[in-house]
Amino acid sequence: MNVVSGSYVDPNNLKFEEIKILGALQEITDVTVFLDNAQQMYSTNITYYPTEKVAHITGLQLELGRSYTIEWTQQQSINERFDCYPGIDPTQEKCEQLGCVWDAPSDPNSPSCYFSSDNVYSVEEVEYSSSGLAANLILNSTNTRANDNYTAPIGTLRLEVKYHTNSMLQFKIYDYQNARYEVPIQLNLPTTPTSTSEGRLYDVSVQKKPFGIQIRRKSTGTVVWDSQLPTFTFSDMFIQISTRLPSQYIYGFGETEHATYRRNMTWNTWGMFTRDQSPADHLNSYGYQPFYMALEEDSNAHGVLLLNSNAMDVTLQPTPALTYRTIGGILDFYMVLGPTPELVVQEYTELIGRPVMPPYWSLGFQLCRYGYRNDSEVAQLVEEMKATQIPYDVQYVDIDHMERQLDFTLSTHFAGLPDLINKIKGEGMRFVIILDPTISGNETDYPTFSRGVENDVFMKRPNSDEIIYSRVWPFLPNVQVNESLPEQTQIALYGAHAAFPDFLRNSTVEWWKREIVEFYNNPTDPSKSIKFDGLWIDMNEPATFMNAAFGGCRDEILNNPPYMPHLGFRSEGLTYKSPCMEGQQYLPDGTPVRHYDVHSLYGWAQTRPTLEALQSVTRERGIVITRSTYPSSGRWAGHWLGDNVAAWDQLSKSIIGMMEFSLFGISYTGADICGFFNDSEYELCLRWMQLGSFYPYARNHNQKGTRVSCKFLMAHEHYIIHPALKKYIPSKIGMKRTCLTLHQINNNLYFYISSVINLP
């Protein structure tokens, strides 16, 4: 700061007290002031705004009329680091081969290898219209970073932004010269955009060099999306994009277990890929939900969906920022602008489809167990529940009712099940059975498999008629199973060859519906008709009890991709408890797709035809409960949180899980009350029954070999109902038993509860 005329003395002793530095690309960490080469001792404060690239220095005392030199130090904050080597076992050598910087930080969770240059894409021309914009992305080939051809950046990318409504927009990046897999789900989009420039809640701008997209909320100026960051790359088997976030308040992404509803932003990475994985910290589980809601600092809210179904992970860091990494498909984002959390959920479910309306009876208490030995045991349980005046509305049977776990068969131990179902339905109750997707191929007379082969419904190896088999539930015929062995040992010894129906195909959908109809009506012997009211579909990730398939997999690059997302058992590749990724499937229009791309859509594809078949045979609304989900699954089914453990932390985490699934548009959700695995201790089960009575989906369910939790509680008397609710309980029932369900009054509270759990 050079004074041109030095004779001025300000009579009011005015001083420069603050400076704003524009275009500060890195954080300013230290400021030094000199007057005539003498350092001045000022107590300065520095605030850095990374989105705006502005530094604000306060606490200065610069007198008018005097010349000063001000120096500052810039360095990249650890929070500003973006991981340049998210793969397995990063090293300095691997890092520097990518042209990145290696510096092991004191915080072991932050990246040691990070970007030091911009992303490799830029934009020359942007085409604007009243309903959006478009541009081609140009690749700077001199600055590309890749390990091999599968991760080499693609140079023919197109950006399209569509202003669908005043509160919802789409931005999509794809290869305009080469067709790539896109998620085959129809969203509820207007035929033509309905937004207006005056009414839109958002402004969109394209940052040209380096490329980035910035979305700003009009009313407040808050930047809700800013992707002009060094991470962006788009290759055949590795796509990555990051965005700065407007706050630390991020909710969503599933299905994973975590301790708080708000996501932990301290360098946490979460994988998404459907898998038979019981709830456990940081492990990807049954569902795939790439949606989040963010609260901005002023309490406005927005939501973002990435419509991609390939294996993916997301990293949340304290910048605050978010990085997506997926190994296929395209980038297809949808943003809803709220501005309240309630409106975010409404706008999101308008986009993906509203949640299914459950029947009135499904709001009652439901009872199930894996391990019922025969229909007499189930009948006895029903009578004991009646004798102790414990009201419940729905009884289940697990795979025990099947002959050797074969779908659409009835075990000789459950020969009386049809009559039992008819009896309890005559008393006002309902009945639900389970179905697994995989079908045994080891049978000599199994019509379900034979008809499946005839209708060509099973997943095969590419360019072949060879069905892909793995080991799942059905046991081999004509073998004596040693039930004293551990369950996994039994499966390893006696498991049959199980085939995977391709539920994306029209032929499979029709075959599946016919099998359900025949099991319900049994045209050959009506006395064996199973008059179920609901269907519970399990193991539809799809799950396997061995990695990959019999005979192994034959496409190494698909099963062990160049970038393996942060999934559980990462070193095992994608086939851990899953079939081969090269499996050939077909979309309804006949387009071939790889299981690699649609694995996480498997449960989603099974859900709709299951509900349609159920409603066709029962002529009632019915309910389907599915384990594996994807955005829009809630249109056809509810969900339970899987094979949890009888532990106190699972009790509290069930609340978080239900709130998240309500956010995902699946509001009919619950957890196995008292826990599925292990014996539940008395106090835990007591508290869980109290909490569970307010679950939208309230089912007590546990594994064979464990204590029957509801019977366990029958022996104890407790007063569990809050006095304020006492007047709602029928006097003949009183407040006698812990197993008493509040669903007698919960029917009136259901929609209130559902709306509450939509809140952050």
Side-chain angles (χ1 to χ4, degrees):
M1 300 176 63
N2 295 318
V3 175
V4 177
S5 175
S7 60
Y8 176 77
V9 177
D10 186 77
N12 298 309
N13 196 29
L14 292 178
K15 299 176 182 179
F16 285 103
E17 296 181 348
E18 60 184 73
I19 293 175
K20 284 186 178 177
I21 302 169
L22 310 182
L25 299 181
Q26 295 182 323
E27 184 173 11
I28 291 178
T29 58
D30 220 10
V31 173
T32 308
V33 180
F34 296 92
L35 174 63
D36 299 329
N37 295 322
Q39 183 174 341
Q40 305 298 294
M41 304 307 293
Y42 295 144
S43 212
T44 56
N45 293 310
I46 309 162
T47 305
Y48 181 61
Y49 302 93
T51 300
E52 293 81 6
K53 299 179 175 58
V54 170
H56 188 193
I57 303 171
T58 60
L60 300 171
Q61 296 290 314
L62 310 182
E63 298 178 15
L64 277 66
R66 308 190 74 173
S67 295
Y68 293 87
T69 299
I70 303 174
E71 297 178 352
W72 58 80
T73 301
Q74 295 185 93
Q75 70 177 33
Q76 189 175 55
S77 164
I78 288 180
N79 288 353
E80 288 289 320
R81 291 185 179 185
F82 288 85
D83 196 346
C84 185
Y85 196 93
I88 298 173
D89 299 327
T91 65
Q92 183 170 352
E93 182 182 7
K94 294 175 182 176
C95 175
E96 292 174 351
Q97 284 176 353
L98 295 175
C100 295
V101 175
W102 180 270
D103 176 25
S106 56
D107 182 353
N109 295 317
S110 59
S112 298
C113 180
Y114 58 93
F115 291 93
S116 59
S117 59
D118 294 328
N119 74 62
V120 297
Y121 290 94
S122 59
V123 171
E124 282 188 353
E125 296 289 335
V126 180
E127 307 157 17
Y128 294 94
S129 71
S130 60
S131 59
L133 58 88
N136 287 341
L137 275 57
I138 301 164
L139 177 64
N140 177 5
S141 58
T142 63
N143 195 29
T144 59
R145 300 178 285 258
N147 289 324
D148 48 49
N149 290 336
Y150 297 102
T151 57
I154 293 171
T156 50
L157 297 183
R158 179 78 169 169
L159 165 70
E160 290 182 357
V161 181
K162 294 182 180 179
Y163 309 148
H164 286 294
T165 71
N166 286 337
S167 60
M168 189 268 289
L169 72 152
Q170 174 189 7
F171 46 106
K172 177 178 177 179
I173 302 173
Y174 62 97
D175 183 351
Y176 63 83
Q177 285 192 355
N178 302 286
R180 293 176 59 83
Y181 163 74
E182 298 187 29
V183 175
I185 289 180
Q186 295 297 314
L187 300 178
N188 297 324
L189 298 170
T191 306
T192 57
T194 60
S195 70
T196 63
S197 58
E198 300 82 13
R200 282 195 288 269
L201 302 182
Y202 50 86
D203 280 322
V204 180
S205 61
V206 176
Q207 297 143 315
K208 293 186 176 181
K209 190 172 183 179
F211 163 69
I213 306 168
Q214 191 174 91
I215 302 172
R216 189 181 299 269
R217 185 181 294 279
K218 271 187 182 180
S219 61
T220 61
T222 299
V223 176
V224 295
W225 180 277
D226 180 10
S227 65
Q228 193 181 42
L229 291 166
T231 60
F232 177 66
T233 189
F234 194 118
S235 64
D236 184 26
M237 297 183 73
F238 181 67
I239 303 172
Q240 181 173 248
I241 190 170
S242 300
T243 178
R244 295 186 184 278
L245 297 168
S247 77
Q248 299 272 347
Y249 303 104
I250 306 300
Y251 309 84
F253 292 127
E255 179 176 10
T256 57
E257 179 191 277
H258 45 101
T260 61
Y261 185 34
R262 180 165 72 92
R263 285 292 189 167
N264 186 329
M265 301 292 292
T266 54
W267 306 104
N268 275 272
T269 299
W270 307 87
M272 284 180 274
F273 187 68
T274 59
R275 185 175 283 167
D276 176 10
Q277 171 59 59
S278 300
D281 185 52
H282 271 79
L283 297 185
N284 56 297
S285 202
Y286 315 104
Y288 185 111
Q289 297 288 339
F291 174 77
Y292 75 87
M293 180 178 72
L295 288 184
E296 299 148 35
E297 292 291 352
D298 56 9
S299 297
N300 283 321
H302 66 274
V304 177
L305 167 69
L306 171 54
L307 192 66
N308 182 291
S309 62
N310 290 87
M312 178 192 302
D313 62 33
V314 293
T315 296
L316 296 165
Q317 64 187 69
T319 315
L322 162 65
T323 298
Y324 294 90
R325 303 181 194 93
T326 183
I327 60 173
I330 66 169
L331 295 177
D332 192 8
F333 287 97
Y334 298 80
M335 179 180 286
V336 292
L337 272 292
T340 65
E342 294 89 343
L343 283 173
V344 166
V345 174
Q346 289 179 30
E347 291 159 3
Y348 179 55
T349 56
E350 182 179 9
L351 175 67
I352 63 171
R354 302 293 191 199
V356 65
M357 177 66 78
Y360 189 71
W361 56 261
S362 71
L363 304 181
F365 179 59
Q366 309 185 38
L367 194 54
C368 183
R369 178 171 171 80
Y370 169 39
Y372 291 135
R373 290 165 295 182
N374 48 55
D375 54 78
S376 298
E377 183 178 353
V378 179
Q380 181 183 354
L381 172 64
V382 173
E383 293 306 313
E384 288 177 348
M385 293 285 282
K386 287 161 54 179
T388 50
Q389 295 185 310
I390 300 172
Y392 79 117
D393 290 271
V394 189
Q395 178 63 49
Y396 283 64
V397 284
D398 207 316
I399 57 175
D400 317 288
H401 80 278
M402 304 174 185
E403 182 65 37
R404 291 183 291 105
Q405 302 91 32
L406 295 170
D407 277 348
F408 310 111
T409 66
L410 193 62
S411 165
T412 54
H413 298 294
F414 284 81
L417 188 62
D419 290 337
L420 174 61
I421 292 175
N422 294 336
K423 177 178 181 294
I424 68 172
K425 288 181 66 171
E427 296 171 351
M429 289 181 61
R430 301 292 180 137
F431 208 92
V432 175
I433 67 165
I434 192 172
L435 291 173
D436 288 339
T438 52
I439 305 298
S440 172
N442 289 113
E443 312 303 313
T444 55
D445 182 20
Y446 183 27
T448 296
F449 177 74
S450 302
R451 290 190 287 250
V453 172
E454 181 182 340
N455 288 276
D456 194 19
V457 307
F458 297 116
M459 186 165 63
K460 297 179 179 179
R461 297 189 186 274
N463 306 312
S464 165
D465 285 330
E466 183 184 350
I467 295 173
I468 291 178
Y469 292 103
S470 191
R471 184 176 278 123
V472 197
W473 268 125
F475 282 163
L476 291 164
N478 306 315
V479 298
Q480 183 65 42
V481 176
N482 183 354
E483 296 187 359
S484 67
L485 296 172
E487 188 168 73
Q488 293 302 312
T489 304
Q490 293 179 42
I491 294 164
L493 292 174
Y494 312 118
H497 285 57
F500 299 87
D502 176 9
F503 289 102
L504 293 172
R505 300 183 73 161
N506 289 330
S507 59
T508 309
V509 167
E510 295 308 312
W511 162 82
W512 182 250
K513 289 180 177 179
R514 284 197 303 271
E515 297 303 319
I516 291 173
V517 169
E518 288 210 5
F519 197 53
Y520 185 88
N521 289 321
N522 201 325
T524 60
D525 188 351
S527 67
K528 294 182 179 179
S529 299
I530 305 295
K531 301 298 186 182
F532 47 81
D533 300 283
L535 290 172
W536 165 29
I537 48 178
D538 194 7
M539 306 291 289
N540 55 353
E541 292 70 37
T544 65
F545 288 135
M546 60 180 284
N547 294 353
F550 287 103
C553 300
R554 300 173 190 173
D555 192 322
E556 178 65 19
I557 197 70
L558 289 183
N559 295 290
N560 293 280
Y563 176 71
M564 182 63 190
H566 283 67
L567 309 175
F569 306 92
R570 197 179 185 195
S571 62
E572 300 287 332
L574 295 178
T575 55
Y576 177 77
K577 300 181 73 173
S578 301
C580 295
M581 294 297 114
E582 69 263 27
Q584 187 73 68
Q585 297 186 242
Y586 292 90
L587 300 181
D589 64 1
T591 302
V593 287
R594 305 170 299 187
H595 189 69
Y596 176 87
D597 296 309
V598 298
H599 170 88
S600 293
L601 296 178
Y602 196 89
W604 170 87
Q606 184 192 15
T607 302
R608 181 175 183 173
T610 302
L611 179 66
E612 290 175 347
L614 172 70
Q615 293 178 336
S616 171
V617 294
T618 64
R619 301 186 182 278
E620 293 184 342
R621 188 183 302 160
I623 193 67
V624 170
I625 304 298
T626 180
R627 193 167 77 172
S628 187
T629 64
Y630 187 84
S632 77
S633 289
R635 295 175 61 184
W636 305 290
H639 171 67
W640 91 105
L641 300 177
D643 295 341
N644 59 3
V645 175
W648 283 98
D649 71 309
Q650 296 283 292
L651 170 66
S652 58
K653 287 174 181 174
S654 72
I655 301 172
I656 298 166
M658 288 195 307
M659 292 172 70
E660 282 193 329
F661 270 91
S662 194
L663 187 67
F664 300 148
I666 307 176
S667 53
Y668 186 68
T669 306
D672 285 346
I673 295 171
C674 296
F676 179 75
F677 288 117
N678 303 337
D679 287 339
S680 183
E681 60 180 89
Y682 171 72
E683 184 69 17
L684 170 63
C685 198
L686 165 66
R687 298 304 176 196
W688 213 323
M689 286 296 295
Q690 291 173 306
L691 172 67
S693 66
F694 286 100
Y695 287 175
Y697 173 48
R699 182 183 69 164
N700 184 302
H701 176 53
N702 60 1
Q703 189 188 31
K704 63 181 175 182
T706 59
R707 181 189 293 129
V708 182
S709 56
C710 207
K711 281 190 175 183
F712 172 51
L713 290 175
M714 284 181 192
H716 301 267
E717 295 189 1
H718 269 270
Y719 295 89
I720 65 164
I721 309 302
H722 190 281
L725 302 177
K726 186 175 180 180
K727 64 182 180 179
Y728 294 101
I729 307 301
S731 58
K732 67 177 182 178
I733 298 173
M735 296 160 45
K736 187 176 179 183
R737 304 286 183 187
T738 300
C739 282
L740 174 64
T741 173
L742 293 190
H743 276 72
Q744 300 300 302
I745 62 165
N746 210 21
N747 292 330
N748 299 322
L749 299 176
Y750 173 72
F751 293 104
Y752 168 75
I753 293 168
S754 295
S755 65
V756 167
I757 64 174
N758 276 330
L759 299 178

